[in-house]
Amino acid sequence: MRSVGLITEYNPFHNGHLYHLQQSRLQGEADIAVAVMSGHFLQRGEPALLDKWLRARMALAAGVDLLVELPLPWACNSAPVFADGAVFSLQQLQVDAFCFGSESGSLPDLQRGADWLRAHSVLIDTESRKLLRQGKTWPQARSIVAEQLAADPSILEALRHPNNILGLEYLRALCERESSMTPLTIKRIGAGYHEESVVNDLASATGIRLRVAKGEAVDVFIPDAVSTILTEALDAGLTVDPKLLYRLLIYALQQDEAGLE
């Protein structure tokens, strides 16, 4: 039997994720789909809308065969570390191929970008760290450095999009770990990664979370197989409000400054 790996957050699982799962099976000619998923906290350090157990139930209900957690030190980290941990996890599970979504949809273009990153890794990392100390995010820093160093327009374009950036790091990790897994990519469809807009029944996870926060219906953007799980979680008040947690964090920090317990 052939297996295909997915690297995910499922925050929450939506129609775009179902499309990715289905296309990954097709492209990988796979009998088994294995997902590596972040736990309670995600790459940007924010808590997930639903806990990892509920998100795991959603993924399994939608057709993922095996789901494992990406440990926190890798899940809440920059793109290179996140990607390396995820690729290593799939490698240890001995999957045959792994498939990631990208704005590009072109594996040759992304592979060329990954090769460029590896060839200039020391200089890129050094210059990126300088920008990080100035308050830039990792994607912003990486894009600025690339603008200064790269002459290939396809590389610059790849570094402007979040899924492409992760894809480049997946491919770089694959090469550095000398893995035999076959990389595959599918072009992202529907709303962009951070977009709030809707394209037919496809909304980004960001857009769905914003609608949930406003009390709006999101059933049309969620596969039927997992809709009941999300509905029950919403009705039971099991979603996490990052704004509330932020206020609790500020309160805890103020208490600590005052020397209180």
Side-chain angles (χ1 to χ4, degrees):
M1 291 191 298
R2 282 186 57 81
S3 55
V4 65
L6 316 172
I7 300 168
T8 68
E9 289 186 327
Y10 292 156
N11 186 38
F13 196 102
H14 55 65
N15 290 339
H17 293 136
L18 181 62
Y19 175 79
H20 174 221
L21 171 60
Q22 293 170 338
Q23 291 299 311
S24 297
R25 284 184 181 275
L26 287 174
Q27 285 202 29
E29 299 179 341
D31 307 288
I32 298 172
V34 179
V36 175
M37 187 185 78
S38 302
H40 296 312
F41 290 86
L42 309 178
Q43 191 190 354
R44 291 166 298 283
E46 67 186 56
L49 177 69
L50 303 170
D51 67 46
K52 62 185 181 183
W53 309 115
L54 286 169
R55 287 167 28 245
R57 283 180 56 200
M58 295 172 82
L60 295 174
V64 172
D65 297 294
L66 173 66
L67 188 141
V68 299
E69 181 177 353
L70 180 63
L72 182 69
W74 290 268
C76 294
N77 218 311
S78 62
V81 179
F82 176 93
D84 184 62
V87 167
F88 178 67
S89 297
L90 291 175
Q91 185 179 16
Q92 292 298 106
L93 292 168
Q94 300 182 15
V95 302
D96 298 298
F98 75 100
C99 184
F100 58 92
S102 63
E103 289 86 359
S104 165
S106 170
L107 192 62
D109 285 349
L110 293 172
Q111 187 63 66
R112 188 162 56 251
D115 292 341
W116 180 83
L117 287 177
R118 290 187 66 245
H120 300 84
S121 60
V122 175
L123 180 58
I124 292 170
D125 289 346
T126 300
E127 296 302 314
S128 295
R129 288 194 184 94
K130 293 178 183 178
L131 293 171
L132 289 174
R133 288 193 288 270
Q134 296 174 19
K136 301 293 185 183
T137 65
W138 182 263
Q140 289 171 340
R142 183 63 63 88
S143 181
I144 292 170
V145 173
E147 291 278 359
Q148 298 169 347
L149 300 177
D152 189 331
S154 66
I155 294 175
L156 297 178
E157 180 62 23
L159 287 165
R160 293 190 181 105
H161 302 284
N163 290 121
N164 283 351
I165 291 172
L166 277 174
L168 295 174
E169 297 299 343
Y170 295 147
L171 294 172
R172 185 164 78 157
L174 188 74
C175 181
E176 291 178 347
R177 289 195 171 276
E178 299 181 348
S179 173
S180 61
M181 287 188 296
T182 301
L184 305 166
T185 191
I186 61 170
K187 186 174 179 62
R188 185 185 177 98
I189 61 173
Y193 189 80
H194 293 299
E195 288 182 9
E196 299 177 25
S197 59
V198 174
V199 179
N200 298 322
D201 62 348
L202 295 170
S204 69
T206 299
I208 292 172
R209 292 194 300 273
L210 288 172
R211 284 170 170 78
V212 167
K214 295 175 183 177
E216 298 177 3
V218 295
D219 288 354
V220 68
F221 311 119
I222 307 293
D224 291 340
V226 303
S227 181
T228 300
I229 299 171
L230 178 60
T231 300
E232 290 175 352
L234 293 174
D235 291 343
L238 298 179
T239 57
V240 173
D241 182 353
K243 293 181 180 178
L244 176 59
L245 290 182
Y246 178 74
R247 291 197 292 270
L248 291 172
L249 175 62
I250 294 300
Y251 172 77
L253 292 173
Q254 289 174 338
Q255 293 289 85
D256 185 61
E257 282 187 5
L260 302 175
E261 295 184 359

Coordinates of all heavy atoms in Angstrom, one line a residue, residues 164-238:
N164 N 3.6 29.1 -0.4 CA 4.9 28.9 -1.1 C 6.1 28.9 -0.2 O 7.0 28.1 -0.4 CB 5.0 30.0 -2.2 CG 4.2 29.9 -3.4 OD1 3.5 28.9 -3.6 ND2 4.1 30.9 -4.2
I165 N 6.1 29.8 0.7 CA 7.2 29.9 1.6 C 7.4 28.6 2.4 O 8.5 28.1 2.5 CB 7.1 31.1 2.6 CG1 7.2 32.4 1.9 CG2 8.1 31.0 3.8 CD1 6.8 33.6 2.7
L166 N 6.3 28.1 2.9 CA 6.4 26.8 3.6 C 6.8 25.7 2.6 O 7.6 24.8 3.0 CB 5.1 26.4 4.2 CG 4.8 27.1 5.6 CD1 3.4 26.7 6.1 CD2 5.8 26.5 6.7
G167 N 6.3 25.7 1.4 CA 6.7 24.7 0.4 C 8.2 24.7 0.1 O 8.8 23.6 0.0
L168 N 8.8 25.9 0.0 CA 10.2 26.0 -0.2 C 11.0 25.3 0.9 O 12.0 24.6 0.7 CB 10.6 27.5 -0.3 CG 10.1 28.2 -1.5 CD1 10.5 29.7 -1.4 CD2 10.6 27.7 -2.8
E169 N 10.5 25.6 2.2 CA 11.2 25.0 3.3 C 11.0 23.5 3.4 O 11.9 22.8 3.9 CB 10.7 25.7 4.6 CG 11.0 27.2 4.7 CD 12.5 27.5 4.6 OE1 13.3 26.5 4.8 OE2 12.9 28.6 4.3
Y170 N 9.8 23.0 3.0 CA 9.6 21.6 3.0 C 10.6 20.9 2.0 O 11.2 19.9 2.4 CB 8.1 21.2 2.5 CG 7.0 21.7 3.4 CD1 5.8 22.0 2.8 CD2 7.2 21.7 4.8 CE1 4.8 22.4 3.7 CE2 6.1 22.1 5.6 CZ 4.9 22.5 5.0 OH 3.9 22.9 5.8
L171 N 10.7 21.5 0.9 CA 11.6 20.9 -0.1 C 13.1 21.0 0.3 O 13.9 20.1 0.1 CB 11.5 21.7 -1.5 CG 10.1 21.5 -2.1 CD1 9.9 22.4 -3.4 CD2 9.9 20.0 -2.6
R172 N 13.4 22.1 1.0 CA 14.8 22.2 1.5 C 15.1 21.2 2.6 O 16.1 20.6 2.6 CB 15.0 23.7 2.1 CG 16.5 23.9 2.5 CD 16.8 25.3 2.7 NE 16.3 25.9 3.9 CZ 16.9 27.0 4.5 NH1 17.9 27.6 3.9 NH2 16.4 27.4 5.6
A173 N 14.1 21.0 3.5 CA 14.2 20.0 4.5 C 14.4 18.6 3.9 O 15.1 17.8 4.4 CB 13.1 20.1 5.5
L174 N 13.6 18.4 2.9 CA 13.6 17.0 2.3 C 15.0 16.7 1.7 O 15.5 15.6 1.9 CB 12.6 17.0 1.1 CG 12.3 15.7 0.4 CD1 11.5 14.8 1.3 CD2 11.6 16.0 -0.9
C175 N 15.6 17.7 1.1 CA 16.9 17.6 0.5 C 18.0 17.4 1.6 O 18.8 16.5 1.6 CB 17.3 18.8 -0.4 SG 18.9 18.7 -1.1
E176 N 17.9 18.3 2.7 CA 18.9 18.2 3.7 C 18.9 16.9 4.5 O 19.9 16.5 5.1 CB 18.8 19.5 4.6 CG 19.1 20.8 3.9 CD 18.9 22.0 4.8 OE1 18.3 21.9 5.8 OE2 19.4 23.1 4.4
R177 N 17.7 16.4 4.6 CA 17.5 15.1 5.4 C 17.7 13.9 4.4 O 17.6 12.7 4.9 CB 16.2 15.0 6.0 CG 16.1 16.0 7.2 CD 14.9 15.7 8.1 NE 14.9 16.5 9.3 CZ 15.6 16.1 10.4 NH1 16.3 15.0 10.4 NH2 15.6 16.9 11.5
E178 N 18.0 14.2 3.2 CA 18.3 13.1 2.2 C 17.1 12.1 2.2 O 17.3 10.9 2.2 CB 19.6 12.4 2.5 CG 20.8 13.4 2.4 CD 22.1 12.7 2.6 OE1 22.1 11.5 3.1 OE2 23.2 13.3 2.3
S179 N 15.9 12.6 2.3 CA 14.7 11.7 2.3 C 14.4 11.2 1.0 O 14.5 11.9 -0.1 CB 13.6 12.5 2.9 OG 12.4 11.8 2.9
S180 N 13.8 10.0 1.0 CA 13.4 9.4 -0.3 C 11.9 9.7 -0.6 O 11.4 9.2 -1.6 CB 13.6 7.9 -0.2 OG 12.8 7.3 0.9
M181 N 11.2 10.4 0.3 CA 9.8 10.8 0.0 C 9.7 11.6 -1.3 O 10.6 12.4 -1.6 CB 9.3 11.6 1.2 CG 9.0 10.8 2.4 SD 8.1 11.8 3.7 CE 9.3 13.1 4.0
T182 N 8.6 11.4 -2.0 CA 8.4 12.1 -3.2 C 7.6 13.3 -2.9 O 6.5 13.2 -2.4 CB 7.6 11.2 -4.2 OG1 8.3 10.1 -4.5 CG2 7.3 12.0 -5.5
P183 N 8.1 14.5 -3.2 CA 7.3 15.8 -3.0 C 6.2 16.0 -4.0 O 6.5 15.8 -5.2 CB 8.3 16.9 -3.0 CG 9.4 16.4 -3.9 CD 9.4 14.9 -3.8
L184 N 5.1 16.5 -3.6 CA 4.0 16.8 -4.6 C 3.4 18.1 -4.1 O 3.4 18.4 -2.9 CB 2.9 15.7 -4.5 CG 3.3 14.3 -4.8 CD1 2.2 13.3 -4.4 CD2 3.7 14.1 -6.3
T185 N 2.8 18.9 -5.0 CA 2.1 20.1 -4.6 C 0.8 20.3 -5.4 O 0.8 19.8 -6.6 CB 3.0 21.3 -4.8 OG1 2.4 22.4 -4.1 CG2 3.3 21.7 -6.2
I186 N -0.1 20.9 -4.8 CA -1.4 21.2 -5.5 C -1.6 22.7 -5.4 O -1.2 23.3 -4.4 CB -2.6 20.5 -5.0 CG1 -2.8 20.8 -3.5 CG2 -2.4 19.0 -5.2 CD1 -4.2 20.3 -3.1
K187 N -2.1 23.3 -6.4 CA -2.4 24.8 -6.4 C -3.5 25.1 -5.4 O -4.6 24.5 -5.5 CB -2.7 25.3 -7.8 CG -2.8 26.8 -7.9 CD -2.9 27.3 -9.3 CE -3.1 28.8 -9.4 NZ -1.9 29.5 -8.9
R188 N -3.3 26.1 -4.5 CA -4.4 26.5 -3.6 C -5.5 27.1 -4.4 O -5.3 27.9 -5.3 CB -3.8 27.5 -2.6 CG -4.8 27.9 -1.6 CD -4.3 29.0 -0.7 NE -5.3 29.4 0.3 CZ -5.3 29.0 1.6 NH1 -4.5 28.1 2.0 NH2 -6.3 29.4 2.4
I189 N -6.7 26.8 -4.1 CA -7.9 27.3 -4.7 C -8.7 28.1 -3.7 O -8.6 27.9 -2.5 CB -8.8 26.2 -5.4 CG1 -9.3 25.2 -4.4 CG2 -8.0 25.5 -6.5 CD1 -10.3 24.2 -4.9
G190 N -9.6 28.9 -4.2 CA -10.5 29.6 -3.3 C -9.8 30.8 -2.7 O -8.9 31.4 -3.3
A191 N -10.2 31.2 -1.5 CA -9.7 32.4 -0.8 C -8.2 32.2 -0.4 O -7.8 31.1 -0.1 CB -10.5 32.7 0.5
G192 N -7.5 33.3 -0.4 CA -6.1 33.2 0.0 C -5.9 32.9 1.5 O -6.9 32.9 2.2
Y193 N -4.7 32.6 1.9 CA -4.4 32.2 3.2 C -5.0 33.1 4.3 O -5.5 32.6 5.3 CB -2.9 32.0 3.4 CG -2.4 31.4 4.6 CD1 -2.4 30.0 4.7 CD2 -2.0 32.1 5.7 CE1 -2.0 29.3 5.9 CE2 -1.5 31.5 6.9 CZ -1.6 30.1 7.0 OH -1.1 29.5 8.1
H194 N -4.8 34.4 4.2 CA -5.2 35.3 5.2 C -6.5 36.1 4.8 O -7.0 37.0 5.5 CB -4.1 36.3 5.5 CG -2.9 35.7 6.2 ND1 -3.0 35.1 7.4 CD2 -1.6 35.6 5.8 CE1 -1.8 34.6 7.8 NE2 -1.0 35.0 6.8
E195 N -7.0 35.8 3.6 CA -8.2 36.5 3.1 C -9.5 36.2 3.9 O -9.7 35.1 4.3 CB -8.4 36.2 1.6 CG -7.3 36.8 0.7 CD -7.6 36.6 -0.8 OE1 -8.7 36.0 -1.1 OE2 -6.7 36.8 -1.6
E196 N -10.3 37.3 4.0 CA -11.6 37.1 4.6 C -12.7 36.9 3.6 O -13.8 36.5 4.0 CB -11.9 38.4 5.5 CG -10.9 38.7 6.6 CD -11.2 39.9 7.3 OE1 -12.4 40.3 7.3 OE2 -10.3 40.5 7.9
S197 N -12.4 37.1 2.3 CA -13.4 36.9 1.3 C -13.7 35.4 1.1 O -13.0 34.5 1.6 CB -12.9 37.5 0.0 OG -11.7 36.9 -0.4
V198 N -14.8 35.2 0.3 CA -15.3 33.8 0.0 C -15.3 33.6 -1.5 O -15.7 34.5 -2.2 CB -16.7 33.6 0.6 CG1 -17.2 32.3 0.2 CG2 -16.6 33.8 2.2
V199 N -14.9 32.4 -1.9 CA -15.0 32.1 -3.3 C -15.8 30.8 -3.4 O -15.4 29.7 -3.0 CB -13.6 31.8 -3.9 CG1 -13.7 31.4 -5.4 CG2 -12.7 33.0 -3.8
N200 N -17.1 31.0 -3.8 CA -18.1 29.9 -3.8 C -18.2 29.3 -2.4 O -18.6 30.1 -1.5 CB -17.6 28.8 -4.8 CG -17.6 29.3 -6.2 OD1 -18.4 30.1 -6.6 ND2 -16.6 28.8 -7.0
D201 N -17.9 28.1 -2.1 CA -18.0 27.5 -0.8 C -16.7 27.4 -0.1 O -16.5 26.6 0.8 CB -18.8 26.2 -0.8 CG -18.1 25.1 -1.6 OD1 -17.1 25.5 -2.3 OD2 -18.4 23.9 -1.5
L202 N -15.7 28.1 -0.6 CA -14.3 28.0 -0.1 C -13.9 29.3 0.6 O -14.0 30.4 0.0 CB -13.3 27.8 -1.2 CG -13.5 26.4 -2.0 CD1 -12.6 26.4 -3.2 CD2 -13.1 25.3 -1.0
A203 N -13.6 29.2 1.9 CA -13.2 30.3 2.7 C -11.9 29.9 3.4 O -11.7 28.7 3.6 CB -14.2 30.7 3.7
S204 N -11.0 30.8 3.6 CA -9.8 30.5 4.4 C -10.1 30.2 5.8 O -11.2 30.6 6.3 CB -8.8 31.7 4.3 OG -9.3 32.8 5.1
A205 N -9.2 29.5 6.5 CA -9.4 29.3 7.9 C -9.5 30.6 8.7 O -10.3 30.7 9.7 CB -8.3 28.4 8.5
T206 N -8.8 31.6 8.3 CA -8.9 32.9 8.9 C -10.3 33.5 8.8 O -10.9 34.0 9.7 CB -7.9 33.9 8.3 OG1 -6.5 33.4 8.4 CG2 -8.0 35.3 8.9
G207 N -10.8 33.4 7.6 CA -12.2 33.9 7.3 C -13.2 33.2 8.1 O -14.2 33.8 8.7
I208 N -13.0 31.9 8.3 CA -14.0 31.0 9.0 C -13.9 31.4 10.5 O -15.0 31.6 11.2 CB -13.7 29.5 8.8 CG1 -14.0 29.1 7.4 CG2 -14.5 28.7 9.8 CD1 -13.6 27.7 7.0
R209 N -12.7 31.6 11.0 CA -12.6 32.0 12.5 C -13.2 33.3 12.7 O -13.8 33.5 13.8 CB -11.1 31.9 12.9 CG -10.5 30.6 12.9 CD -9.2 30.5 13.6 NE -8.2 31.4 13.0 CZ -7.4 31.1 12.0 NH1 -7.4 29.9 11.5 NH2 -6.5 32.0 11.6
L210 N -13.0 34.2 11.8 CA -13.6 35.6 12.0 C -15.2 35.5 12.0 O -15.8 36.1 12.8 CB -13.2 36.5 10.9 CG -11.7 37.0 11.0 CD1 -11.3 37.7 9.7 CD2 -11.5 37.8 12.2
R211 N -15.7 34.6 11.2 CA -17.2 34.4 11.1 C -17.7 33.8 12.4 O -18.7 34.1 12.9 CB -17.6 33.6 9.9 CG -17.5 34.5 8.6 CD -17.7 33.6 7.3 NE -17.8 34.4 6.2 CZ -16.8 35.1 5.5 NH1 -15.6 34.9 6.0 NH2 -17.0 35.8 4.5
V212 N -16.9 32.8 12.9 CA -17.3 32.2 14.2 C -17.3 33.2 15.3 O -18.2 33.2 16.1 CB -16.3 31.0 14.5 CG1 -16.5 30.5 15.9 CG2 -16.5 29.8 13.5
A213 N -16.3 34.0 15.3 CA -16.2 35.1 16.4 C -17.4 36.0 16.3 O -17.8 36.5 17.4 CB -14.9 35.8 16.3
K214 N -17.9 36.2 15.1 CA -19.1 37.1 15.0 C -20.4 36.4 15.2 O -21.5 37.0 15.1 CB -19.1 37.8 13.6 CG -17.9 38.7 13.4 CD -17.9 39.2 11.9 CE -16.6 40.1 11.7 NZ -16.6 40.5 10.2
G215 N -20.4 35.1 15.4 CA -21.6 34.3 15.5 C -22.3 34.0 14.2 O -23.5 33.6 14.2
E216 N -21.6 34.1 13.1 CA -22.1 33.8 11.8 C -22.0 32.3 11.5 O -21.2 31.6 11.9 CB -21.4 34.7 10.7 CG -21.5 36.2 10.9 CD -20.7 37.0 9.9 OE1 -20.1 36.3 9.0 OE2 -20.7 38.2 10.0
A217 N -22.9 31.9 10.6 CA -23.0 30.5 10.2 C -21.8 30.2 9.3 O -21.4 31.0 8.4 CB -24.3 30.2 9.5
V218 N -21.2 29.0 9.4 CA -20.0 28.7 8.6 C -20.2 27.3 8.0 O -19.3 26.7 7.4 CB -18.7 28.7 9.5 CG1 -18.4 30.1 9.9 CG2 -18.8 27.7 10.7
D219 N -21.4 26.7 8.1 CA -21.6 25.3 7.7 C -21.3 25.1 6.2 O -20.8 24.1 5.8 CB -23.1 24.9 7.9 CG -23.4 24.7 9.4 OD1 -22.5 24.8 10.2 OD2 -24.6 24.5 9.7
V220 N -21.5 26.2 5.4 CA -21.3 26.0 3.9 C -19.8 25.8 3.6 O -19.5 25.3 2.6 CB -21.9 27.3 3.2 CG1 -21.1 28.5 3.5 CG2 -21.9 27.0 1.7
F221 N -19.0 26.3 4.5 CA -17.5 26.2 4.3 C -16.9 24.9 4.9 O -15.7 24.7 4.7 CB -16.8 27.4 4.9 CG -17.5 28.7 4.5 CD1 -18.0 29.6 5.4 CD2 -17.6 29.1 3.1 CE1 -18.6 30.8 5.1 CE2 -18.2 30.3 2.8 CZ -18.7 31.1 3.8
I222 N -17.7 24.1 5.6 CA -17.2 23.0 6.3 C -17.8 21.7 5.7 O -19.0 21.6 5.4 CB -17.6 23.0 7.8 CG1 -17.2 24.4 8.4 CG2 -17.0 21.9 8.6 CD1 -15.7 24.6 8.5
P223 N -17.0 20.7 5.4 CA -17.5 19.4 4.9 C -18.6 18.8 5.8 O -18.5 19.0 7.0 CB -16.3 18.5 4.9 CG -15.1 19.4 4.9 CD -15.5 20.6 5.7
D224 N -19.5 18.2 5.2 CA -20.6 17.6 6.0 C -20.1 16.6 7.0 O -20.7 16.5 8.1 CB -21.6 16.9 5.0 CG -22.4 17.9 4.1 OD1 -22.5 19.0 4.5 OD2 -22.9 17.4 3.1
A225 N -19.1 15.9 6.7 CA -18.6 14.9 7.6 C -18.1 15.4 8.9 O -18.0 14.7 9.9 CB -17.4 14.1 6.9
V226 N -17.7 16.7 8.9 CA -17.1 17.3 10.2 C -18.0 18.4 10.7 O -17.7 19.0 11.8 CB -15.7 17.8 9.9 CG1 -14.8 16.8 9.4 CG2 -15.7 19.0 9.0
S227 N -19.0 18.8 10.0 CA -19.9 19.9 10.4 C -20.5 19.7 11.8 O -20.6 20.6 12.6 CB -21.0 20.1 9.4 OG -21.8 21.2 9.8
T228 N -20.9 18.4 12.1 CA -21.6 18.2 13.4 C -20.6 18.4 14.5 O -21.0 18.9 15.6 CB -22.1 16.7 13.4 OG1 -23.0 16.5 12.4 CG2 -22.7 16.4 14.7
I229 N -19.3 18.0 14.3 CA -18.3 18.1 15.4 C -18.1 19.6 15.7 O -18.1 20.0 16.9 CB -17.0 17.5 14.9 CG1 -17.2 16.0 14.7 CG2 -15.9 17.7 16.0 CD1 -16.0 15.3 14.1
L230 N -18.0 20.4 14.6 CA -17.8 21.9 14.9 C -19.1 22.5 15.5 O -18.9 23.3 16.5 CB -17.5 22.6 13.5 CG -17.4 24.1 13.6 CD1 -16.2 24.5 14.5 CD2 -17.1 24.7 12.2
T231 N -20.2 22.1 15.1 CA -21.5 22.7 15.6 C -21.6 22.3 17.1 O -21.9 23.2 17.9 CB -22.7 22.1 14.9 OG1 -22.6 22.5 13.5 CG2 -24.0 22.7 15.5
E232 N -21.3 21.1 17.5 CA -21.4 20.7 18.9 C -20.4 21.5 19.7 O -20.7 21.9 20.9 CB -21.1 19.2 19.0 CG -22.3 18.3 18.4 CD -22.0 16.8 18.5 OE1 -20.8 16.5 18.8 OE2 -22.9 16.0 18.2
A233 N -19.2 21.7 19.2 CA -18.2 22.4 19.9 C -18.6 23.9 20.1 O -18.4 24.4 21.2 CB -16.8 22.3 19.2
L234 N -19.2 24.5 19.1 CA -19.6 25.9 19.2 C -20.8 26.0 20.2 O -20.8 26.9 21.0 CB -20.1 26.4 17.8 CG -19.0 26.5 16.8 CD1 -19.6 26.9 15.4 CD2 -18.0 27.6 17.2
D235 N -21.7 25.0 20.1 CA -22.8 25.1 21.1 C -22.4 24.9 22.5 O -23.0 25.4 23.4 CB -23.8 24.0 20.7 CG -24.6 24.3 19.4 OD1 -24.5 25.4 18.9 OD2 -25.2 23.3 18.8
A236 N -21.3 24.1 22.7 CA -20.8 23.8 24.1 C -19.8 24.9 24.5 O -19.3 24.8 25.7 CB -20.2 22.4 24.1
G237 N -19.5 25.9 23.7 CA -18.6 26.9 24.1 C -17.2 26.4 24.2 O -16.4 26.9 25.0
L238 N -16.8 25.5 23.3 CA -15.4 24.9 23.4 C -14.4 25.6 22.6 O -13.3 25.1 22.5 CB -15.5 23.4 23.1 CG -16.4 22.5 24.0 CD1 -16.4 21.1 23.5 CD2 -15.9 22.6 25.4

